Amino acid sequence: MDRFFRGFVAGVVGGVIMNIWSVVSVNLLHLSKFHYLDWAAVMTFGYPSGNILESLMSLATHLVWTGFLGIVAAYFLSLTTSKQYLLKGILIGFTLFFIINALPVLFHTPYLHNTTFGTSVSNAIGSIVWGLGVAWTLRYLDTTSNVQT
């Protein structure tokens, strides 16, 4: 498996972990107002998902998006040493959180441009969890395929 596909797999693994956090944050902790799949639904349909098919499509879209971001992270991480890879994952995740959450504000995206403090905190945690998942998965895939990072 080459760097591209290892990055995609790592991004999807991070996305799954991120979506589990989203369910905990929204349904158990009541910290956030939106699941990540709802964010993907707004970007795809223009409104939060309203039924199971829209939710499944949105979840798949979100996982493909996180896979793409994993590819970007994999190539970025390949430019650096493997030292402190988890910290690098946290920084990548938090930076992506800031950029991705700033765009709906800048462009006044309906449902997304005005989030609560709890939703922002939840999204930051989710992005950091994603970054950790990507960094750890990339490290695992790189070491099991005997590739130096």
Side-chain angles (χ1 to χ4, degrees):
M1 189 181 323
D2 66 5
R3 166 92 19 214
F4 183 94
F5 288 108
R6 285 194 311 271
F8 184 79
V9 168
V12 171
V13 168
V16 168
I17 297 166
M18 183 183 209
N19 277 285
I20 291 169
W21 162 251
S22 177
V23 169
V24 169
S25 177
V26 173
N27 297 39
L28 298 177
L29 300 177
H30 306 289
L31 181 63
S32 179
K33 301 290 183 194
F34 289 105
H35 293 100
Y36 284 111
L37 67 88
D38 291 325
W39 287 73
V42 170
M43 300 310 284
T44 304
F45 307 122
Y47 54 87
S49 55
N51 60 52
I52 190 70
L53 291 178
E54 290 175 350
S55 294
L56 290 173
M57 171 75 174
S58 300
L59 179 60
T61 301
H62 185 257
L63 292 176
V64 170
W65 173 247
T66 59
F68 170 76
L69 293 176
I71 295 166
V72 173
Y75 281 103
F76 174 77
L77 288 172
S78 73
L79 300 174
T80 67
T81 66
S82 61
K83 293 179 180 174
Q84 298 179 336
Y85 67 99
L86 292 176
L87 179 59
K88 291 173 185 176
I90 288 169
L91 292 172
I92 290 169
F94 190 81
T95 300
L96 289 172
F97 151 75
F98 182 78
I99 292 168
I100 291 169
N101 280 281
L103 293 175
V105 173
L106 290 173
F107 295 108
H108 298 284
T109 307
Y111 302 103
L112 302 181
H113 76 280
N114 219 1
T115 61
T116 65
F117 175 76
T119 298
S120 290
V121 168
S122 177
N123 289 343
I125 293 169
S127 296
I128 289 168
V129 167
W130 175 85
L132 285 169
V134 168
W136 184 88
T137 304
L138 276 172
R139 175 75 169 207
Y140 175 79
L141 292 174
D142 286 346
T143 56
T144 57
S145 63
N146 297 321
V147 174
Q148 293 293 328
T149 56

